[in-house]
Amino acid sequence: VANETFTTKDGSTSGNKKTYTLVSSMTALKDASTSANLALTGDLNATSFFITNADATTTRYGNVMSGTYSGTFAGLGHTITDITLTKADSQTGIFAQTSNATLRDLMVDRVTILGRHHTGTLIGRAGGTTTLLNLLVTNSSVGLQADGHYWTGGLVGYVDGGTISNAWVINTPVSGYHQVGGLIGRSQLVADNI
């Protein structure tokens, strides 16, 4: 499925076309372009998503996508499970940062996130106008590696602005130091049905 795409069109205007790159593994998501529109082809299990060092020890990634993502990520109703992300720096989450991005139609289950400033399951820090639709985090945990760090949330650590609709965090303890939220640590979003 590597490098395969599909195109959708909203209405009859040709300018409303959007092309998506298909993502079928955690590695494909990690290596995807930060400006591409991405769509999951199925559920992703992240049990083996870690770095194997030369001495055969393992190190956890701090993010799946480490750059600033600016496209549309469509989970298409699929689930990412069994991921552990640990980072001794800011912007910890599946997406380190987003800018004017849309993330939608995704469930995240059995995830452990440990970070510092800007820590959330899905996004560490969301900049610009972010759109979050139809998202669920369940049976997970989000926390900090050390005291004195800000903005920890079950879904997103810090959001500059945008909209959120139909988003839930269930059975997921969130711990932190300052500006901690079950859904979002700090937010300027317009919310509906959360």
Side-chain angles (χ1 to χ4, degrees):
V1 183
N3 298 317
E4 289 187 29
T5 63
F6 72 90
T7 302
T8 63
K9 182 175 161 184
D10 182 13
S12 60
T13 305
S14 61
N16 291 335
K17 287 184 180 179
K18 188 177 280 192
T19 300
Y20 288 84
T21 300
L22 299 176
V23 174
S24 60
S25 70
M26 295 301 293
T27 300
L29 180 56
K30 178 179 75 69
D31 296 338
S33 167
T34 57
S35 61
N37 298 314
L38 305 172
L40 293 184
T41 61
D43 295 342
L44 300 182
N45 183 291
T47 304
S48 60
F49 185 70
F50 52 79
I51 301 163
T52 302
N53 302 309
D55 63 357
T57 61
T58 59
T59 304
R60 293 292 177 180
Y61 286 101
N63 310 100
V64 179
M65 182 172 280
S66 60
T68 301
Y69 182 67
S70 60
T72 295
F73 177 83
L76 300 181
H78 296 298
T79 304
I80 296 175
T81 59
D82 301 306
I83 186 170
T84 298
L85 299 174
T86 303
K87 190 172 182 182
D89 200 352
S90 60
Q91 287 96 22
T92 306
I94 293 174
F95 293 86
Q97 295 185 83
T98 60
S99 178
N100 302 317
T102 296
L103 284 77
R104 60 178 304 143
D105 308 319
L106 178 69
M107 178 176 171
V108 181
D109 188 35
R110 298 186 308 271
V111 173
T112 302
I113 308 289
L114 286 172
R116 302 235 172 157
H117 291 304
H118 308 114
T119 297
T121 300
L122 196 58
I123 306 169
R125 180 173 183 158
T129 302
T130 300
T131 303
L132 304 170
L133 301 167
N134 308 322
L135 302 168
L136 173 63
V137 174
T138 186
N139 304 315
S140 300
S141 66
V142 181
L144 299 177
Q145 289 187 326
D147 286 340
H149 296 279
Y150 291 19
W151 310 300
T152 307
L155 187 68
V156 183
Y158 183 107
V159 182
D160 286 333
T163 60
I164 183 169
S165 181
N166 299 324
W168 300 274
V169 176
I170 300 170
N171 194 32
T172 299
V174 179
S175 61
Y177 177 75
H178 182 70
Q179 295 190 356
V180 178
L183 192 64
I184 299 171
R186 179 194 177 274
S187 172
Q188 294 182 5
L189 289 171
V190 175
D192 179 43
N193 198 25
I194 58 172

